[in-house]
Amino acid sequence: DKQAWTWEHMALTRARAIAGENALARRVEEIIRRTLTAPRDPDKLVRDVADMRARIEREHHAASSWDVKYLRGGLVDVDFISQFLQLRHATKAPDVLSPPTRVAIARLLDHGWLSAADADTLQAAHKLWQSIQGMLRLTLDRDPSSSDHSDLPKALRQALARATGEPDFDRLVLRMTDTAQAVMAIYERIIGNPARERHE
């Protein structure tokens, strides 16, 4: 299944050697770099990425807006945009590759493969979703993905607002909705719509 290779290569954009002898680490980094900078069919790449995201949506559909990883417009979509653009352009500019998503987005902006507006939206979304995800993991002893707004304890709602720089919880909820929609607009423009056109 060649689509699986695309998925593996997307995951590989996050890989790096963190232990072992220097010579081995350099060898591993070289293999990763060579794999990620290989020439690709751009039409197949965008179809594979969109198909993989649709598969994740079927298998891990977000039950609520608090599942910020799988929420449409959430962390997975931010990562998919970054990973797709890295694989799409690394052949021409290997230095665009970076395991941290925020660094990859900045490099994609520097090379002109993301507009300043899109890069700002993605960076802000990434920071917001990570802040919410981290707070929920630290404070809830259950899966937050099945919770609605009213189900979250009042103290947690207040803490979430503070952690994300919002004056109150209602403003945070509005920001989450706006952020998810903004990320999805970028996803559709860069991946979703082009993939559908190439499936026709």
Side-chain angles (χ1 to χ4, degrees):
D1 182 0
K2 292 185 177 180
Q3 189 182 98
W5 283 110
T6 298
W7 171 247
E8 295 295 337
H9 293 174
M10 290 171 68
L12 203 57
T13 64
R14 306 292 295 275
R16 60 187 171 193
I18 59 173
E21 297 196 4
N22 289 339
L24 176 60
R26 285 194 300 270
R27 177 66 176 149
V28 169
E29 297 283 359
E30 175 55 32
I31 292 171
I32 291 171
R33 184 182 181 87
R34 189 166 65 243
T35 301
L36 296 180
T37 58
R40 300 173 192 279
D41 177 344
D43 290 346
K44 179 183 182 303
L45 177 63
V46 76
R47 288 195 308 268
D48 284 354
V49 173
D51 289 347
M52 190 58 63
R53 185 60 184 96
R55 178 179 174 182
I56 290 175
E57 173 65 9
R58 290 192 301 270
E59 296 178 358
H60 300 283
H61 176 72
S64 84
S65 59
W66 298 105
D67 187 354
V68 297
K69 179 176 180 178
Y70 294 114
L71 170 74
R72 289 316 313 255
L75 278 170
V76 168
D77 287 303
V78 174
D79 285 340
F80 267 46
I81 294 165
S82 168
Q83 291 164 5
F84 165 72
L85 290 173
Q86 287 179 77
L87 293 178
R88 176 72 177 81
H89 298 295
T91 299
K92 298 185 288 287
D95 64 308
V96 79
L97 297 170
S98 175
T101 298
R102 60 180 178 76
V103 177
I105 290 171
R107 292 181 180 181
L108 290 163
L109 170 63
D110 290 343
H111 281 280
W113 291 311
L114 275 174
S115 69
D118 285 352
D120 286 348
T121 295
L122 294 173
Q123 295 282 32
H126 191 258
K127 182 178 180 181
L128 175 65
W129 301 140
Q130 284 200 321
S131 296
I132 293 171
Q133 185 182 65
M135 179 66 72
L136 292 176
R137 285 177 173 174
L138 286 171
T139 56
L140 284 183
D141 59 359
R142 55 185 167 80
D143 180 6
S145 66
S146 60
S147 301
D148 62 23
H149 301 164
S150 62
D151 189 39
L152 295 175
K154 181 178 180 181
L156 176 54
R157 282 181 276 166
Q158 294 172 339
L160 283 164
R162 286 194 303 271
T164 55
E166 292 297 334
D168 57 57
F169 184 73
D170 289 341
R171 288 284 294 273
L172 171 58
V173 172
L174 289 174
R175 181 177 165 197
M176 290 172 65
T177 299
D178 290 345
T179 297
Q181 291 174 349
V183 171
M184 277 308 297
I186 297 170
Y187 176 90
E188 288 298 321
R189 179 162 25 88
I190 291 176
I191 298 173
N193 291 334
R196 281 188 287 273
E197 291 170 1
R198 286 155 179 79
H199 271 304
E200 293 175 355

